[in-house]
């Protein structure tokens, strides 16, 4: 779908052109593929809860600079990943324990690292999506990012692409 590709195009523009990028909730892996293919110096890891989706991603969208892993993003994990950039597009609304999810994001994001989050606009005329555990108004999303220690750099609402987008940065090391 064009909206999916456009969200990844926007996300890519905020990510470093080299280094480690995590694509959280990568689904079938096409977005991870786009990120890795655009900048060969990126090392992109797509992570999803679904074993079937990750297997599909491995079979159809693997490159030498991307990989895929199965993981519950809410579980307390070790610092297996350290990322210069993290993308979570259309995933946060599916996470019941968003506080645990954000704890992992903060653990994995290196100082001065960038987080790109996109959540859908809620269309009240269509009713609530049965797979969404939470709708994210801009102010609540901003509050979560700020209370996690991140600095919001961009806030974009785009009805055409049906997303609310925030780009935040983890503060760098103070000298």
């Amino acid at each position: 779908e064009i909206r999916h590709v456009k969200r990844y195009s926007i996300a890519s523009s905020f990510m470093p052109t080299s280094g480690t990028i995590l694509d959280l909730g990568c689904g079938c892996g096409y977005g991870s593929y786009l990120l890795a293919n655009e900048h060969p110096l990126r090392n992109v890891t797509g992570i999803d809860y679904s074993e079937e989706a990750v297997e599909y991603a491995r079979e159809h969208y693997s490159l030498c600079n991307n990989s895929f892993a199965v993981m519950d993003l809410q579980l307390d994990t070790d610092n297996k990943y350290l990322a210069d950039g993290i993308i979570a597009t259309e995933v946060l609304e599916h996470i019941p324990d968003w506080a645990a999810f954000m704890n992992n994001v903060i653990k994995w994001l290196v100082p001065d690292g960038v987080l790109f989050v996109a959540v859908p606009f809620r269309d009240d005329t269509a009713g609530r999506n049965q797979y969404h555990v939470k709708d994210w108004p801009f102010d609540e999303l901003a509050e979560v990012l700020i209370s996690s220690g991140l600095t919001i750099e961009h806030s974009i609402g785009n009805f055409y692409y049906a997303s609310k987008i925030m780009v935040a940065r983890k503060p760098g090391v103070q000298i």
Side-chain angles (χ1 to χ4, degrees), residues 69-126:
V70 176
M71 182 188 302
D72 183 340
L73 297 167
Q74 302 165 102
L75 295 180
D76 186 29
T77 64
D78 57 16
N79 283 350
K80 179 178 181 180
Y81 298 106
L82 290 177
D84 302 293
I86 295 178
I87 296 172
T89 178
E90 308 294 324
V91 67
L92 193 56
E93 65 276 8
H94 298 277
I95 305 285
D97 190 351
W98 54 266
F101 171 84
M102 284 305 300
N103 284 337
N104 283 331
V105 166
I106 297 305
K107 254 194 310 195
W108 297 332
L109 202 57
V110 300
D112 208 34
V114 177
L115 172 66
F116 178 95
V117 178
V119 294
F121 278 115
R122 180 167 177 203
D123 182 357
D124 290 325
T125 62

Side-chain angles (χ1 to χ4, degrees), residues 98-99 102-103 105-106 142-151 170-171:
W98 54 266
M102 284 305 300
N103 284 337
V105 166
I106 297 305
E143 185 178 313
V144 166
L145 298 179
I146 292 167
S147 68
S148 297
L150 300 172
T151 302
K170 185 174 182 178

Side-chain angles (χ1 to χ4, degrees), residues 12-173:
S12 184
S13 72
F14 289 104
M15 292 292 115
T17 57
S18 64
T20 300
I21 308 295
L22 299 180
D23 182 13
L24 306 182
C26 71
C28 72
Y30 186 65
S32 300
Y33 168 83
L34 293 173
L35 294 166
N37 191 52
E38 182 179 16
H39 292 286
L41 295 178
R42 286 179 177 160
N43 181 18
V44 179
T45 300
I47 300 172
D48 202 273
Y49 183 75
S50 168
E51 290 182 25
E52 294 82 14
V54 168
E55 185 59 35
Y56 184 91
R58 288 176 178 149
E59 290 175 12
H60 293 88
Y61 295 115
S62 288
L63 296 170
C64 64
N65 64 328
N66 76 347
S67 60
F68 299 95
V70 176
M71 182 188 302
D72 183 340
L73 297 167
Q74 302 165 102
L75 295 180
D76 186 29
T77 64
D78 57 16
N79 283 350
K80 179 178 181 180
Y81 298 106
L82 290 177
D84 302 293
I86 295 178
I87 296 172
T89 178
E90 308 294 324
V91 67
L92 193 56
E93 65 276 8
H94 298 277
I95 305 285
D97 190 351
W98 54 266
F101 171 84
M102 284 305 300
N103 284 337
N104 283 331
V105 166
I106 297 305
K107 254 194 310 195
W108 297 332
L109 202 57
V110 300
D112 208 34
V114 177
L115 172 66
F116 178 95
V117 178
V119 294
F121 278 115
R122 180 167 177 203
D123 182 357
D124 290 325
T125 62
R128 183 171 173 80
N129 184 317
Q130 66 178 341
Y131 301 106
H132 293 180
V133 295
K134 179 167 179 51
D135 292 315
W136 286 94
F138 260 123
D139 57 340
E140 285 184 45
L141 184 56
E143 185 178 313
V144 166
L145 298 179
I146 292 167
S147 68
S148 297
L150 300 172
T151 302
I152 296 172
E153 294 186 342
H154 300 280
S155 180
I156 307 161
N158 189 310
F159 286 100
Y160 178 74
Y161 298 113
S163 289
K164 294 175 274 190
I165 296 169
M166 288 201 179
V167 179
R169 186 173 300 275
K170 185 174 182 178
V173 177

